[in-house]
Amino acid sequence: MTSHQRFRAAATNCAYRFYSLEYFFSSSQREGFDAVELWCGPMHFFMDYAANDSVSHIAALSKKSGLPICAICPEQNNPKPSNVAARGDDAIRRSRQYFKRAIDVAADLGAGMVSITSGWGFLDESRETAWDRSVRMLSTLGSYAGERGVTLALEALQPEESNLCNCARDLRTMLEDVGSAHLKVLLDTGAMWRAGESVQDYMDAFGKDVVHCHFTDARETSHLAWGDGVRDMRGDLLALAEAGYSGCLTFESVDPRYFVDPAAADRQSLAALKRNLEEFDT
């Protein structure tokens, strides 16, 4: 890897839930991030199936800080009200409208990407039944995303979060079942680690269809700042670089231990990234 193959580091406001959005943007600028992934937590940006905050304030903060919005991350895991695999006509309608609204927000902010999951099914129904609902929803949302010039980036979830897509093989099957050119892959290194997989496994399976990355360390749990876990950042970066990955690396360090001082966790991860990139260039 050479210096011109620089990775773009993105911050996310999820761990900044006890700080203002203004603080998050100013902190991310000060720490040296290249972009921001906007998590739609209601304390920062309210959005439900019927309405959302104006994007003008987000756009102004993005412009002032010089940090573009690289992706929108809607709330979508149990017990959140919106679920890609929602069951029941009303829940499906509300969830569909919520994710369409997220696509609209991404388009209006010039983000071009929405991170999305397969959703989750009830444990007292067949996995196949919930899977079929997820396929139908993702197909509908993929078509709408294409109309708005937005890409959906589908990530695997950990087993306690969902009984649908938990690994690269599940993602491959889901992409094939949906069949949308606007549905790509988000590599979440936490879910990847839990599944016993590697970055190379993802790049071998999906190649250029990996369009975004949630890039964190892990030990007994995932979503750790780099250095608080046992994962090999250098190996991950090499695999990404050799595959020609050109998306952002979002440091999704959202373990509750970081809520008091999320900027310190981001600073720690950025320092680890800088050290590894300097090693490549020497």
Side-chain angles (χ1 to χ4, degrees):
M1 186 188 304
T2 59
S3 58
H4 69 274
Q5 292 172 301
R6 179 173 177 268
F7 290 102
R8 292 181 297 146
T12 180
N13 53 307
C14 190
Y16 287 76
R17 62 190 65 190
F18 294 105
Y19 289 85
S20 69
L21 197 59
E22 292 79 4
Y23 177 87
F24 164 69
F25 270 92
S26 63
S27 173
S28 299
Q29 178 188 36
R30 182 173 60 252
E31 299 301 335
F33 279 98
D34 303 300
V36 161
E37 179 170 345
L38 179 68
W39 169 66
C40 298
M43 73 293 293
H44 287 162
F45 183 79
F46 176 82
M47 181 176 71
D48 67 10
Y49 71 95
N52 60 266
D53 288 339
S54 170
V55 301
S56 60
H57 183 52
I58 304 295
L61 289 172
S62 175
K63 181 178 180 180
K64 180 180 179 181
S65 64
L67 296 172
I69 311 297
C70 66
I72 301 299
C73 184
E75 294 194 295
Q76 54 195 295
N77 292 338
N78 194 341
K80 305 301 182 183
S82 296
N83 175 12
V84 167
R87 186 173 76 177
D89 291 345
D90 289 340
I92 290 171
R93 175 183 55 81
R94 288 191 298 267
S95 295
R96 182 173 58 244
Q97 289 305 116
Y98 176 75
F99 291 113
K100 282 187 172 182
R101 192 170 290 278
I103 292 167
D104 288 338
V105 168
D108 292 345
L109 286 171
M113 188 178 300
V114 172
S115 63
I116 201 160
T117 73
S118 60
W120 53 273
F122 290 102
L123 298 182
D124 59 343
E125 66 177 345
S126 72
R127 178 174 181 267
E128 292 73 22
T129 298
W131 183 277
D132 289 344
R133 294 197 304 267
S134 181
V135 169
R136 289 194 296 272
M137 179 71 79
L138 288 171
S139 179
T140 297
L141 295 176
S143 295
Y144 187 70
E147 294 172 7
R148 295 305 317 269
V150 171
T151 296
L152 301 180
L154 180 68
E155 66 176 309
L157 294 173
Q158 298 181 53
E160 62 270 20
E161 298 172 316
S162 173
N163 58 350
L164 299 180
C165 286
N166 301 130
C167 62
R169 182 182 64 254
D170 294 338
L171 290 176
R172 168 56 62 196
T173 303
M174 182 62 77
L175 262 64
E176 292 173 350
D177 287 355
V178 174
S180 172
H182 307 290
L183 182 65
K184 302 296 184 181
V185 174
L186 190 164
L187 166 55
D188 183 284
T189 59
M192 176 198 80
W193 167 78
R194 282 292 302 277
E197 297 171 327
S198 68
V199 169
Q200 192 62 56
D201 291 333
Y202 266 75
M203 305 317 291
D204 289 344
F206 302 110
K208 299 296 185 182
D209 281 342
V210 177
V211 296
H212 194 51
C213 183
H214 289 166
F215 194 61
T216 58
D217 207 346
R219 190 185 291 267
E220 289 80 11
T221 185
S222 61
H223 296 113
L224 299 181
W226 284 96
D228 289 346
V230 296
R231 299 195 58 254
D232 175 20
M233 177 188 276
R234 187 177 190 278
D236 286 353
L237 293 174
L238 276 173
L240 289 167
E242 290 173 358
Y245 176 74
S246 59
C248 283
L249 303 176
T250 297
F251 291 118
E252 197 185 32
S253 304
V254 296
D255 188 277
R257 72 185 74 179
Y258 306 123
F259 289 171
V260 172
D261 192 0
D266 282 346
R267 190 178 311 122
Q268 178 176 315
S269 291
L270 281 171
L273 178 64
K274 182 179 179 181
R275 285 195 305 272
N276 277 277
L277 294 181
E278 286 175 347
E279 288 179 10
F280 289 137
D281 291 338
T282 57

